[in-house]
Amino acid sequence: MNQAIHRLRLFLCFFSGEDDFIIRKCNARIQISFALIGSFVLFILLGCFISAFEFTEHLFHSRFADIIIGLIWAMMVTNLYLLLLYTISPSLLPVAIKRKRKQKGKLRKIIIENKSKEKNPFQSFSFLFRTGLITFLAIIMAQPLNVMLFTPYEKAETFAAAIKEILGGHNQLSWLAWIITFLNCAIFLLPVYFKFQVRTISKKSFKDDFEGEHPQKGLKHLREQLANPTDFENLSQQILSTNINSIRTSDFYFQKSLIEHRIILEEYEQFKKIYCSVLIEKNKEYVRKCWQNFMPLLNRLEKINPEKYQLWYNHILNDLQEEEIQRYEYWADPPFRTIHKKLNRKLATEEELLQTFYQQNN
């Protein structure tokens, strides 16, 4: 029985829109939260299908067309809903915060490295817009259900008028229709609450997993560095060397952030190898062409003056030798590019410059 419940829970987690691989490594509380999200998503899919089916039934009067349109519309709305729900997650990757500042009389966008504290999501226009769009979808999907439940079939032909009459009245049916609408909004918005609940559970689970003398105590430092990196070079090496499969923690967003960092860093390392190999090949081609142009002239010089020939040959050989090419990094945290590279240059004062200049002339 417990095995069947566990399989059902993992099946519902699949419809939550999050990474099933990470969810399976988390504890039961995280899995239950995602299973609830998945069950609400399935319920929304079914509700959208019934709503679209009821609406098209009064337009086409064809069961086949109603089913096809209902399925397509239900999947479109559910995918849009999952996309909106997926974006309601904490920031997992470094993001450059840019502000407009005046520099040398020109308005430029500069990166602010001293990032402010995380704001309350209810103070964010982006979050309010997304939840508002979810609520709007819920209200739209609820109206065909109200018509189906509270309006006779013959009167439902005038669909817009029926909706207006149901919601605008002051009778019992009107109150029931508003209750149905609010319940539909609650069904659409409850997964947002469970998403925030996963954040709270994740933070608490990580503290429980790695408090005290834990054999993987270094992961606590790694988690802190992912949020606020102080030494990105060492952090990237640690991420690339960590065996992700061996990590056992129920902090869902830590595992997800670690995997996303790992994928990006591995892809960037592969890009650098290809980039450098292309430059090395171009350099080899350049050297080959240079030798082709120099050799006729060097052969003539050898006949005229062997000493100068040897001198120039050695000089050219030294200049055209193969080099190990590496990509220069302009940023302290490539490839995320959120922190400027610190330049360790010591600029001389005006007095030191004048002293150096006059000493050379003397």
Side-chain angles (χ1 to χ4, degrees), residues 221-243:
H221 176 70
L222 176 59
R223 186 180 187 273
E224 293 170 354
Q225 285 290 302
L226 281 177
N228 296 298
T230 55
D231 187 354
F232 187 81
E233 188 174 350
N234 289 333
L235 174 63
S236 60
Q237 290 175 1
Q238 189 178 359
I239 292 171
L240 292 171
S241 61
T242 300
N243 184 6

Side-chain angles (χ1 to χ4, degrees), residues 55 147 156-166:
F55 179 74
V147 173
E157 295 294 334
T158 56
F159 212 81
I163 293 172
K164 186 177 179 181
E165 183 180 345
I166 292 171

Side-chain angles (χ1 to χ4, degrees), residues 54-233:
E54 176 65 21
F55 179 74
T56 54
E57 172 66 18
H58 298 287
L59 296 178
F60 304 110
H61 304 287
S62 169
R63 287 297 173 89
F64 179 76
D66 298 340
I67 291 171
I68 296 298
I69 294 172
L71 284 173
I72 293 172
W73 180 254
M75 287 188 287
M76 284 175 58
V77 173
T78 307
N79 274 298
L80 176 60
Y81 174 75
L82 272 176
L83 177 63
L84 291 169
L85 194 62
Y86 185 81
T87 60
I88 301 174
S89 298
S91 181
L92 302 178
L93 295 172
V95 179
I97 299 176
K98 296 182 179 181
R99 295 285 186 271
K100 288 185 177 181
R101 296 285 188 273
K102 267 194 174 183
Q103 286 186 342
K104 297 179 181 180
K106 292 184 179 180
L107 198 63
R108 302 176 186 272
K109 279 189 176 181
I110 62 170
I111 293 176
I112 297 176
E113 296 182 7
N114 295 326
K115 299 173 184 177
S116 57
K117 293 181 180 179
E118 188 176 350
K119 292 193 301 184
N120 187 333
F122 292 99
Q123 296 177 349
S124 169
F125 172 77
S126 175
F127 175 78
L128 293 175
F129 176 77
R130 283 173 284 172
T131 51
L133 186 56
I134 290 173
T135 307
F136 176 74
L137 286 174
I139 293 170
I140 294 297
M141 290 300 103
Q143 302 321 308
L145 299 177
N146 286 333
V147 173
M148 180 182 70
L149 293 172
F150 305 121
T151 305
Y153 184 84
E154 298 80 11
K155 198 173 181 181
E157 295 294 334
T158 56
F159 212 81
I163 293 172
K164 186 177 179 181
E165 183 180 345
I166 292 171
L167 296 179
H170 298 283
N171 50 30
Q172 187 178 3
L173 289 180
S174 177
W175 285 107
L176 288 174
W178 277 108
I179 290 171
I180 293 292
T181 303
F182 284 125
L183 284 175
N184 203 51
C185 291
I187 290 169
F188 272 70
L189 291 173
L190 272 173
V192 177
Y193 165 76
F194 292 128
K195 267 297 190 73
F196 280 95
Q197 189 181 41
V198 169
R199 295 192 197 189
T200 306
I201 298 171
S202 293
K203 290 178 182 178
K204 187 178 182 302
S205 298
F206 190 87
K207 290 179 181 178
D208 295 339
D209 292 340
F210 295 100
E211 66 180 2
E213 296 297 326
H214 195 274
Q216 292 184 334
K217 197 175 179 181
L219 288 175
K220 189 174 182 180
H221 176 70
L222 176 59
R223 186 180 187 273
E224 293 170 354
Q225 285 290 302
L226 281 177
N228 296 298
T230 55
D231 187 354
F232 187 81
E233 188 174 350

Side-chain angles (χ1 to χ4, degrees), residues 24-38:
R24 289 173 182 270
K25 296 170 66 177
C26 296
N27 59 21
R29 290 187 66 192
I30 296 284
Q31 291 183 6
I32 289 170
S33 296
F34 281 114
L36 287 170
I37 293 173

